[in-house]
Amino acid sequence: MKIKIAALLAAILGVFGVFLFLVAFGTDYWLLVTEKCGGFEVKNNNSSSEEDGKQGWKEGDKRILTFHHEGFFWRCWFFGEDYRETIWNFWFTSQAHPKHCMNAYLFPMPIVYGPHPHPSYDATAVYRGFWTALIVLAITASLVGVFLLVCGVPFVNARFYKVGGGFLMAAGCLFTLLIFMFVVWKEFAVDLRKYILLERSESCPDDTPLTIYYGWSFMFATAGIPLVLLSGLLFYLVGHSILKEVE
């Protein structure tokens, strides 16, 4: 009975934790930025907008805030007038329209409108590749772990529990490394002011107000780590206990 209760608790924690990982991977809110520079211009045909590419920004209008949010798949921006600088402006139901987006694969390194890769960031290509590979591996490990655990119900093969728990713990460790890399990237590795204003650096004054937040996707991933690690550990111990009983 104790083993079944532990397995049920591990399943609840694991499902919720993996769900948070999938939300973090699939949503584009790892980095949130507000700035008031003006003169934002679309120069790439690979962008999409709710107004068929029409630019919603007036050159030099410093009264309107520009909101940026970025993730693995998309880099988006929208504009707001009479907005207070708060993270809640980025909540899904609070965003102003229209919103412009462009492909941003291999985040968190810069995706710019000019030549690829941008000459200012060539040296960070390795970092960019590692972050991408790790997030794909982490998602894959979590899904494989869930699949193996489903195959182990109801205690048909205890080894599935041990291996599945191992995959979940590996996914938690990989996401821990991802979070660490993201924090290092945001706080130390990149000049985020230069990154955000890359295409407008010449027209933006040095004292341009710019506020940077950790986004919802980052928070979801961080919250999922202890849940998945605990779930994986419980499943591993459950499998170990079942093997001992069989022997």
Side-chain angles (χ1 to χ4, degrees):
M1 180 62 70
K2 291 182 179 180
I3 292 178
K4 292 184 178 180
I5 294 175
L8 177 61
L9 177 60
I12 294 173
L13 294 175
V15 168
F16 191 50
V18 171
F19 174 75
L20 290 175
F21 284 171
L22 292 174
V23 171
F25 177 68
T27 54
D28 301 296
Y29 296 89
W30 283 83
L31 181 69
L32 309 180
V33 180
T34 62
E35 48 95 352
K36 194 180 288 187
C37 173
F40 203 94
E41 184 180 358
V42 177
K43 300 180 181 179
N44 194 314
N45 294 328
N46 293 326
S47 62
S48 63
S49 169
E50 296 177 9
E51 288 192 353
D52 298 327
K54 293 181 180 179
Q55 183 62 40
W57 177 261
K58 294 181 180 180
E59 179 74 27
D61 191 343
K62 303 298 191 295
R63 297 170 300 172
I64 303 176
L65 283 172
T66 304
F67 299 90
H68 304 260
H69 66 86
E70 304 187 10
F72 182 82
F73 294 103
W74 294 98
R75 177 182 187 180
C76 300
W77 63 96
F78 57 93
F79 313 105
E81 197 167 5
D82 298 326
Y83 270 69
R84 299 177 64 183
E85 292 193 42
T86 170
I87 192 174
W88 294 105
N89 292 325
F90 293 93
W91 190 247
F92 312 103
T93 58
S94 303
Q95 297 178 16
H97 295 281
K99 183 165 74 170
H100 307 268
C101 294
M102 64 176 292
N103 291 331
Y105 298 109
L106 304 181
F107 180 81
M109 302 317 299
I111 304 297
V112 299
Y113 303 117
H116 296 268
H118 195 279
S120 299
Y121 288 87
D122 286 349
T124 60
V126 174
Y127 189 102
R128 173 178 176 171
F130 270 111
W131 197 93
T132 303
L134 283 173
I135 195 169
V136 172
L137 283 174
I139 290 296
T140 302
S142 61
L143 294 178
V144 170
V146 170
F147 174 77
L148 290 173
L149 292 170
V150 169
C151 292
V153 175
F155 309 125
V156 175
N157 192 331
R159 289 183 174 82
F160 280 165
Y161 280 83
K162 294 184 69 175
V163 177
F167 270 100
L168 288 183
M169 287 189 286
C173 293
L174 288 171
F175 263 98
T176 301
L177 182 57
L178 278 169
I179 294 299
F180 174 76
M181 289 183 68
F182 184 83
V183 172
V184 170
W185 174 80
K186 177 182 178 296
E187 301 293 342
F188 308 106
V190 174
D191 183 350
L192 285 177
R193 173 178 293 275
K194 183 178 181 181
Y195 168 61
I196 297 298
L197 304 176
L198 190 60
E199 295 298 307
R200 299 168 291 153
S201 57
E202 295 182 358
S203 59
C204 294
D206 294 336
D207 59 349
T208 298
L210 188 144
T211 307
I212 303 169
Y213 308 94
Y214 288 102
W216 308 115
S217 301
F218 174 89
M219 296 176 187
F220 290 150
T222 304
I225 289 172
L227 299 179
V228 169
L229 287 174
L230 181 57
S231 173
L233 179 60
L234 286 174
F235 272 123
Y236 182 86
L237 294 177
V238 166
H240 183 71
S241 298
I242 295 172
L243 284 176
K244 287 185 66 177
E245 289 182 358
V246 171
E247 293 173 357

